[in-house]
Amino acid sequence: VKRASTAEKVELKPIGLVETRATRDEVRNRSTTSRLILREDFTEALQGIDDFSHLFVVFWMHEVSSRERKTVKVHPRGRADMPLTGVFATRTQLRPNPIGLTLVELLDVKDHVLTVRGLDAFDGTPILDIKPFDPSDTAREVRVPEWWTRLERERSKKHQGSKYTPIVRGTA
Ligand SMILES: C[S@@+](CC[C@H](N)C(=O)[O-])C[C@H]1O[C@@H](n2cnc3c(N)ncnc32)[C@H](O)[C@@H]1O
């Protein structure tokens, strides 16, 4: 068995790039349609993906600076009224390895280009991986912090009657 060391670097090469005309606000709200422009040599690697309705997209939030990557605690969503929380207990982009993981709806596949809804990645973001959503990834009796419930309640109030529909609804 070859054990890795945390001192070793892990090298990744993007499989493609995100293309979107959405504004930064629209990206944050996940009310966006984006195109995942994969490398052409991965066209065959997409065979069968259109049988899935949802995908996980793993991406590299490349605009996070090396200083921001040293962040240890944040106020969720940058809100001073939320408790100071360890970065690994939040979904902040300010983390040692700024990897994004987002569940999206697959709208269309054409050659090496996927069209998806709900991706919170800026235009030009490198894509590291794509995995189909497996319904068994769903958890039952989910527990979340009080701050999360507060934020979600605010969000659903704000978006009542609007086009915004979260892909996955919280259970809390
Ligand atoms: C809070 S992160 C969460 C990403 C993903 N949903 C997750 O849970 O891993 C998403 C935010 O990161 C920021 N972001 C998106 N793409 C980025 C990029 N390429 N570089 C830096 N920040 C980015 C945007 O502000 C976006 O709203």
Side-chain angles (χ1 to χ4, degrees):
V1 185
K2 185 186 178 304
R3 277 176 65 82
S5 140
T6 54
E8 273 172 52
K9 287 207 172 179
V10 175
E11 205 177 325
L12 298 171
K13 206 164 150 191
I15 59 167
L17 297 178
V18 174
E19 191 184 86
T20 178
R21 267 179 269 166
T23 63
R24 300 215 154 187
D25 259 356
E26 288 166 340
V27 166
R28 187 171 316 116
N29 294 331
R30 297 184 56 183
S31 56
T32 51
T33 300
S34 319
R35 299 205 309 156
L36 311 181
I37 317 283
L38 300 197
R39 285 181 11 216
E40 262 180 64
D41 51 315
F42 285 134
T43 305
E44 278 187 59
L46 290 173
Q47 199 186 317
I49 204 159
D50 53 351
D51 288 333
F52 286 91
S53 62
H54 292 79
L55 309 172
F56 280 121
V57 180
V58 183
F59 52 100
W60 184 257
M61 295 181 280
H62 66 306
E63 289 186 27
V64 175
S65 69
S66 43
R67 220 186 80 199
E68 289 172 322
R69 289 174 64 173
K70 297 203 171 88
T71 310
V72 177
K73 288 187 183 182
V74 293
H75 292 283
R77 313 269 160 84
R79 297 234 329 227
D81 57 330
M82 296 293 148
L84 200 55
T85 308
V87 293
F88 296 138
T90 77
R91 301 296 283 255
T92 181
Q93 65 272 38
L94 310 181
R95 48 208 313 123
N97 294 320
I99 291 172
L101 171 70
T102 299
L103 183 60
V104 301
E105 188 183 350
L106 178 60
L107 302 177
D108 185 57
V109 185
K110 196 153 193 284
D111 303 325
H112 59 291
V113 179
L114 306 178
T115 306
V116 301
R117 179 159 43 217
L119 184 62
D120 50 355
F122 296 152
D123 187 49
T125 298
I127 303 162
L128 301 178
D129 203 1
I130 290 171
K131 293 174 196 262
F133 176 68
D134 176 334
S136 64
D137 286 326
T138 312
R140 261 177 260 241
E141 292 177 46
V142 177
R143 191 160 53 85
V144 293
E146 180 276 334
W147 59 257
W148 185 94
T149 313
R150 233 183 325 142
L151 282 171
E152 194 53 35
R153 207 174 284 144
E154 269 179 33
R155 185 151 62 164
S156 52
K157 213 184 267 173
K158 190 168 145 204
H159 293 284
Q160 233 169 27
S162 84
K163 276 191 304 189
Y164 175 78
T165 39
I167 290 179
V168 181
R169 287 190 187 278
T171 52

